[in-house]
Amino acid sequence: MAARFFDLSEDVQEGNWFLEDPVDMNSVEVEVDPWMFRAGKPIQMPERLRIPIGEPGRSRDFSLAGIGLTPIVHVKLATVLAERAAADVQLLPVDIPGQPDQYVLVVATKTLRCIDEKASEEVLFWEPRHNKPEKLGQYRSVYGMRIDPSKVGATQLFRPWGWRVALIVSEDLKTALEQTGATGMYFTEV
C-alpha cells in the first residue's frame, strides 16, 4: 500500500483567536519577509520571539499566524513533532501574551520536489505572458494537489517545492498529532 500524505492547515472557526506575524520581544517585526518561516529550510533566530494576538478568542493548539501563515503549536504538539519528525523540523519557543501555556513556532526544514503534476487536478505555471520573469516555470496555482510518495522517502513533515503554502505530513505523523486531542488542526489528503 502506498504511503499517504496530508496537508495540515488551520481549522478556522468563529470565536477563535487570530495570531499576528512573529515579532521580537520589543514588538519589532523580525524580518521584512513574513514568509521566511515557511521557506522549507532552517532559519537563524538570535532571540526569542513573541506572537501578538490580533483578534482575541479561544486559544487553539495549532494556529497559522499572520500573513506569513506561520505554524504556531502548543508544546504537546511540539513534543510529538520532536519525537516523530526531529530531522524535519526546527522548533522555536515563542511567547504569546496572556498565555500561561508554552507555544512553539514550527519551521519545516525540508522542501521536496514531490508534487505529482499528472495526478493533481490542476497545475498552472508562470508563463512569459504573465510578465513575471523571476517566476517563469514555477507553479502559479496547484489545485487538488497530489504527492508522489516515491519522492518523499522517510520524511515526515515538509513543504512541497514550488508550493510552500502547503505543510505536508505523513499519515503516521497525522495519526500521532490527532491522538493528542489537540485543537485547530485540519487535514486534507494529498
Side-chain angles (χ1 to χ4, degrees):
M1 184 162 71
R4 295 171 62 200
F5 295 92
F6 297 83
D7 183 3
L8 171 55
S9 59
E10 183 176 25
D11 183 14
V12 178
Q13 295 182 10
E14 189 174 334
N16 289 337
W17 69 6
F18 173 78
L19 301 177
E20 297 287 344
D21 285 308
V23 296
D24 67 19
M25 297 310 275
N26 295 315
S27 298
V28 176
E29 289 185 21
V30 293
E31 179 119 350
V32 177
D33 180 8
W35 296 278
M36 71 183 209
F37 298 108
R38 68 175 194 200
K41 60 184 180 181
I43 60 170
Q44 296 293 329
M45 275 294 113
E47 64 180 298
R48 191 174 179 104
L49 298 174
R50 191 169 61 78
I51 310 297
I53 297 174
E55 187 173 315
R58 290 183 304 271
S59 63
R60 287 170 295 168
D61 300 318
F62 179 88
S63 297
L64 295 175
I67 63 168
L69 301 175
T70 304
I72 307 297
V73 301
H74 188 276
V75 70
K76 69 181 171 185
L77 291 175
T79 300
V80 171
L81 294 172
E83 291 170 356
R84 302 279 184 124
D88 306 329
V89 297
Q90 179 181 11
L91 303 171
L92 305 170
V94 295
D95 294 322
I96 299 177
Q99 288 298 309
D101 290 347
Q102 295 177 5
Y103 284 86
V104 176
L105 185 152
V106 178
V107 177
T109 59
K110 293 185 179 172
T111 300
L112 303 179
R113 193 167 195 141
C114 62
I115 294 177
D116 187 334
E117 296 170 5
K118 291 185 181 172
S120 298
E121 289 182 40
E122 181 179 71
V123 177
L124 301 175
F125 296 89
W126 289 96
E127 299 173 6
R129 65 186 172 97
H130 297 122
N131 294 320
K132 298 272 188 182
E134 71 281 5
K135 294 184 177 189
L136 196 60
Q138 297 178 27
Y139 296 126
R140 186 168 66 101
S141 174
V142 179
Y143 179 73
M145 178 174 54
R146 295 292 175 255
I147 298 297
D148 180 346
S150 70
K151 296 181 179 178
V152 175
T155 306
Q156 298 294 303
L157 183 143
F158 60 92
R159 300 279 183 178
W161 178 91
W163 200 246
R164 294 187 182 139
V165 295
L167 179 62
I168 308 301
V169 299
S170 69
E171 183 175 21
D172 289 341
L173 184 54
K174 171 190 178 282
T175 300
L177 292 169
E178 287 175 325
Q179 287 174 347
T180 66
T183 58
M185 299 181 297
Y186 186 80
F187 296 95
T188 304
E189 187 167 4
V190 293

